[in-house]
Amino acid sequence: MPAIPVTVLGPHQSGKTVYLASLFHRLALQRSDTGFFIRLPQDQSKKLNEVYGEIISPDRWPDPTLLNEVSEWNFTCAIRTAADEVFTPFTINYMDFAGEHLTHAARTSEQERHIWKRIDESEFLLILLDGAKVKRCFEGDYGLIQELLPVFNRLEHSRAVMHFVITKWDLVEAAGYSVSQVLEQLLQHPHFQTIYENRLAANDTRGALRIIPVSALGAGFALPDGDNMVKQGGFPRPTHVEVPLMAVLIDLFEQNVRRLAAEDRAGHKAAEAEQQNRKLSWVRALQGGLPRVKVMLGAASVNQPAMRLLQQEFLGPFMDFVSRKVDDYGQQVERDVVALRDQVLQAKSEQEALTGLVALFEARLAQFEASHPGSHLGSGGV
């Protein structure tokens, strides 16, 4: 299977190189919670390992990508089965380049033309949003959106599947914001609202739209000090860095692989997990609205005996019911993920490995989306 081309777009200091190094380090070994690992050509593996070494060093950060640097990273997804066989069902080719190409005055060069040609032709675009700048949007500073306007302009010509990846999510989460709240805040800016509405309107032809929070370093490893990040010691503990990789595979093969997997038990389990996720998302949304319902009923019950009876006799048991449903669905999705991971480890061919990974990734994404409502903004007409 040919490599899936993915272009990583992000302004200067959005964390592109740190994200890729963290992705490599997180998935260099096959862990029980992922069920797969990634391989790179030896020179690329050494380079990202050097970058990671600079990340964990106490006194420096990796140098920013230079204007004349354009890097392509070939992440091959691999599975070591229970029979000690290794299958490599797909590869993602990530293209990375200096963010100044996106946000500064154009430099007419063959390299720049190559970059924009790749962007125009890409089937997948990961647009990295700096979490520190996302936080500033809540303070009325929308510089993040303004510097991305040239990118948004170019995206009007693109039919690519587009994922917004919020880096440094630990900073956003520590401030008390959810994915849904971030989206709501970004939509306050007319440029972002327009690109969002245009993409949703074209979902049938342009594919899925996601907003994925990731933390390449994890909570507590580095804290902001003005415009700089100061390391606090310890080791990075990346969060959700593999989710964009999973989403790329799912969104590319969503229709075809579901058809192939229709006769496969793993496919049925993945569909079941996805259905449970829809119910779980609904129940979570209902649970999130209950405090407002409680306040409204409390205010109405002052003068309305029927409302007082409803509040006293109905609301408590109903809230208990919703909480139990959330727990039940969450535990079921968790069990499905474990079962699908075990099935992947029994694969006997590249095709079985790919089909099993799709089922596993679908279940993992269902689990992720249930924990972060609003992250899957459009389904690409499926």
Side-chain angles (χ1 to χ4, degrees), residues 83-157:
D84 206 30
E85 291 185 275
V86 175
F87 296 112
T88 55
F90 73 98
T91 296
I92 287 182
N93 173 261
Y94 280 112
M95 179 178 175
D96 177 30
F97 53 88
E100 287 89 343
H101 284 291
L102 303 176
T103 58
H104 287 60
R107 296 167 176 81
T108 304
S109 68
E110 188 61 35
Q111 184 184 69
E112 184 125 339
R113 283 192 288 270
H114 170 67
I115 289 172
W116 284 108
K117 186 173 185 291
R118 167 68 181 253
I119 293 172
D120 290 341
E121 295 177 349
S122 286
E123 294 184 52
F124 286 88
L125 300 174
L126 297 185
I127 303 174
L128 270 57
L129 306 180
D130 185 337
K133 295 179 181 178
V134 168
K135 273 184 59 183
R136 293 177 198 160
C137 293
F138 287 89
E139 302 164 4
D141 178 359
Y142 283 88
L144 169 67
I145 305 301
Q146 192 60 38
E147 68 180 352
L148 281 172
L149 182 57
V151 178
F152 290 165
N153 173 259
R154 200 74 176 218
L155 292 179
E156 290 296 280
H157 304 277

Side-chain angles (χ1 to χ4, degrees), residues 163-180:
H163 298 158
F164 290 106
V165 178
I166 303 178
T167 61
K168 307 173 189 175
W169 179 250
D170 51 299
L171 302 181
V172 182
E173 193 170 42
Y177 300 122
S178 66
V179 172
S180 296

Side-chain angles (χ1 to χ4, degrees), residues 43-242:
D43 59 329
Q44 296 184 2
S45 176
K46 288 179 178 179
K47 174 61 177 176
L48 287 184
N49 205 45
E50 287 176 6
V51 172
Y52 186 82
E54 293 171 350
I55 292 172
I56 64 174
S57 69
D59 54 358
R60 65 170 300 185
W61 289 100
D63 294 329
T65 305
L66 299 176
L67 271 175
N68 62 351
E69 286 185 290
V70 177
S71 304
E72 298 199 26
W73 308 91
N74 295 303
F75 289 87
T76 297
C77 182
I79 303 163
R80 182 175 293 278
T81 70
D84 206 30
E85 291 185 275
V86 175
F87 296 112
T88 55
F90 73 98
T91 296
I92 287 182
N93 173 261
Y94 280 112
M95 179 178 175
D96 177 30
F97 53 88
E100 287 89 343
H101 284 291
L102 303 176
T103 58
H104 287 60
R107 296 167 176 81
T108 304
S109 68
E110 188 61 35
Q111 184 184 69
E112 184 125 339
R113 283 192 288 270
H114 170 67
I115 289 172
W116 284 108
K117 186 173 185 291
R118 167 68 181 253
I119 293 172
D120 290 341
E121 295 177 349
S122 286
E123 294 184 52
F124 286 88
L125 300 174
L126 297 185
I127 303 174
L128 270 57
L129 306 180
D130 185 337
K133 295 179 181 178
V134 168
K135 273 184 59 183
R136 293 177 198 160
C137 293
F138 287 89
E139 302 164 4
D141 178 359
Y142 283 88
L144 169 67
I145 305 301
Q146 192 60 38
E147 68 180 352
L148 281 172
L149 182 57
V151 178
F152 290 165
N153 173 259
R154 200 74 176 218
L155 292 179
E156 290 296 280
H157 304 277
S158 173
R159 298 174 63 87
V161 175
M162 190 166 71
H163 298 158
F164 290 106
V165 178
I166 303 178
T167 61
K168 307 173 189 175
W169 179 250
D170 51 299
L171 302 181
V172 182
E173 193 170 42
Y177 300 122
S178 66
V179 172
S180 296
Q181 289 172 314
V182 167
L183 176 61
E184 183 178 348
Q185 192 66 31
L186 293 176
L187 288 172
Q188 300 301 309
H189 194 290
H191 292 337
F192 191 88
Q193 181 184 22
T194 299
I195 194 72
Y196 171 79
E197 291 175 349
N198 288 350
R199 298 297 299 193
L200 285 187
N203 247 355
D204 289 347
T205 57
R206 295 190 183 181
L209 178 66
R210 299 177 185 268
I211 183 166
I212 304 174
V214 304
S215 177
L217 304 177
F221 178 79
L223 297 177
D225 182 11
D227 292 333
N228 300 316
M229 296 294 292
V230 179
K231 298 176 184 179
Q232 305 298 303
F235 291 96
R237 301 195 181 279
T239 307
H240 306 322
V241 292
E242 68 273 18

Side-chain angles (χ1 to χ4, degrees), residues 189-340:
H189 194 290
H191 292 337
F192 191 88
Q193 181 184 22
T194 299
I195 194 72
Y196 171 79
E197 291 175 349
N198 288 350
R199 298 297 299 193
L200 285 187
N203 247 355
D204 289 347
T205 57
R206 295 190 183 181
L209 178 66
R210 299 177 185 268
I211 183 166
I212 304 174
V214 304
S215 177
L217 304 177
F221 178 79
L223 297 177
D225 182 11
D227 292 333
N228 300 316
M229 296 294 292
V230 179
K231 298 176 184 179
Q232 305 298 303
F235 291 96
R237 301 195 181 279
T239 307
H240 306 322
V241 292
E242 68 273 18
V243 172
L245 182 150
M246 293 178 173
V248 163
L249 179 67
I250 294 304
D251 291 341
L252 179 64
F253 291 106
E254 197 165 36
Q255 294 178 342
N256 290 333
V257 176
R258 280 183 181 177
R259 177 179 56 80
L260 292 173
E263 304 299 324
D264 188 273
R265 186 168 63 90
H268 289 304
K269 278 192 169 291
E272 180 183 345
E274 186 176 359
Q275 183 179 19
Q276 289 169 345
N277 173 58
R278 292 196 192 99
K279 295 177 183 177
L280 178 57
S281 298
W282 178 84
V283 173
R284 283 187 186 277
L286 184 59
Q287 185 184 41
L290 283 177
R292 292 191 297 275
V293 173
K294 191 172 183 179
V295 171
M296 293 168 59
L297 287 176
S301 66
V302 174
N303 299 314
Q304 300 180 40
M307 287 294 184
R308 185 162 55 249
L309 179 64
L310 179 64
Q311 183 189 37
Q312 293 172 349
E313 302 297 333
F314 173 73
L315 189 59
F318 185 61
M319 290 183 73
D320 290 342
F321 169 79
V322 170
S323 296
R324 287 198 304 273
K325 286 297 182 183
V326 168
D327 291 340
D328 289 347
Y329 285 129
Q331 291 171 12
Q332 182 61 52
V333 171
E334 185 71 36
R335 287 194 292 271
D336 285 343
V337 169
V338 172
L340 291 168

